[in-house]
């Protein structure tokens, strides 16, 4: 069987209309852009965030001589969040949608979403007092003019965090809707 016969057979397969997500996935596959699975995209986000936590902890080395307590607290925060992102990556690696039933896969995705929400709440709970302490330490040690820079950095970090959270939420929602479509 040659490639033209395979294409004709592929086009002749009648897919029952399910939802817009199925049609969108068909368009991505037909266009040849290479649709990455949602799970793989979530794994890349988790791996990237784990790497950012490691880099963030390493970037604190120059501050050790001036702010020992601050470096210890921020490093502990990065370690906790890095471990949680690595656990989420591991959960995503174990998520085998092809071997599980739809109900089991949907349950795994819901557990993943619950873990992500728990991780986000722990991160926010730890981050807020840590950021206040960090801003006060920098403004006190360096100069009052450092305060606007700290606040701009805080704002930039919040914007990036919100963007990553929205993307992750969107991907998990798409994954759940595709699984719900199959059941």
């Amino acid at each position: 069987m040659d490639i033209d016969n395979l294409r004709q057979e592929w086009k002749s397969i009648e897919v029952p209309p399910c939802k817009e997500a199925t049609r969108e996935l068909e368009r991505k596959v037909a266009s040849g852009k290479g649709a990455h699975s949602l799970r793989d995209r979530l794994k890349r986000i988790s791996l990237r965030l784990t790497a950012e936590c490691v880099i963030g902890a390493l970037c604190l080395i120059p501050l050790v001589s001036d702010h020992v307590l601050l470096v210890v607290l921020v490093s502990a925060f990065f370690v906790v969040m890095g471990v949680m992102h690595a656990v989420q990556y591991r959960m995503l690696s174990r998520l085998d949608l092809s071997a599980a039933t739809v109900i089991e896969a949907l349950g795994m995705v819901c557990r993943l979403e619950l873990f992500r929400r728990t991780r986000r709440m722990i991160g926010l709970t730890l981050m807020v007092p840590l950021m206040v302490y960090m801003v006060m330490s920098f403004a006190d040690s360096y100069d009052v003019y450092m305060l606007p820079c700290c606040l701009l950095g805080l704002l930039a970090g919040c914007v990036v965090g919100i963007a990553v959270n929205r993307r992750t939420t969107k991907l998990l929602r798409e994954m759940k809707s595709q699984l719900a479509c199959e059941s």
Side-chain angles (χ1 to χ4, degrees):
M1 187 174 272
D2 63 357
I3 193 75
D4 292 326
N5 290 342
L6 286 172
R7 285 184 182 152
Q8 287 176 347
E9 284 186 29
W10 176 259
K11 289 180 181 178
S12 68
I13 294 175
E14 291 295 323
V15 178
C18 180
K19 294 204 184 228
E20 184 60 33
T22 306
R23 294 292 177 198
E24 183 178 334
L25 198 57
E26 287 175 355
R27 283 192 294 269
K28 285 182 181 178
V29 171
S31 69
K33 292 181 180 176
H36 296 286
S37 73
L38 298 172
R39 182 181 65 99
D40 291 338
R41 288 167 60 188
L42 285 167
K43 279 175 57 176
R44 277 197 311 269
I45 290 172
S46 293
L47 190 61
R48 214 175 292 141
L49 290 172
T50 303
E52 287 176 11
C53 287
V54 170
I55 292 169
L58 292 176
C59 287
L60 296 169
I61 293 173
L63 295 173
V64 171
S65 61
D66 293 337
H67 303 283
V68 177
L69 181 61
L70 179 67
V71 170
V72 169
L73 292 174
V74 174
S75 295
F77 171 79
F78 279 132
V79 166
V80 168
M81 294 310 293
V83 166
M84 292 184 89
H85 286 297
V87 168
Q88 180 175 331
Y89 178 81
R90 183 78 175 146
M91 288 173 73
L92 284 163
S93 295
R94 288 183 177 175
L95 182 65
D96 188 12
L97 299 174
S98 61
T101 66
V102 175
I103 301 299
E104 290 171 346
L106 200 53
M108 287 187 268
V109 170
C110 288
R111 281 192 299 277
L112 180 68
E113 190 173 26
L114 179 65
F115 178 76
R116 188 187 67 82
R117 285 182 182 166
T118 305
R119 188 198 72 236
R120 187 177 62 199
M121 292 309 300
I122 290 171
L124 287 172
T125 304
L126 294 175
M127 182 204 62
V128 170
L130 186 62
M131 291 308 294
V132 169
Y133 179 69
M134 185 182 288
V135 168
M136 288 172 46
S137 295
F138 286 156
D140 185 45
S141 294
Y142 296 110
D143 202 2
V144 177
Y145 298 113
M146 184 60 104
L147 185 62
C149 296
C150 289
L151 294 177
L152 282 175
L154 179 65
L155 181 65
C158 287
V159 168
V160 169
I162 289 170
V164 170
N165 183 49
R166 286 179 53 97
R167 178 189 289 159
T168 306
T169 302
K170 179 183 172 192
L171 290 174
L172 281 170
R173 196 173 292 144
E174 281 183 48
M175 190 182 288
K176 282 173 46 179
S177 71
Q178 285 181 5
L179 289 171
C181 177
E182 292 177 14
S183 62

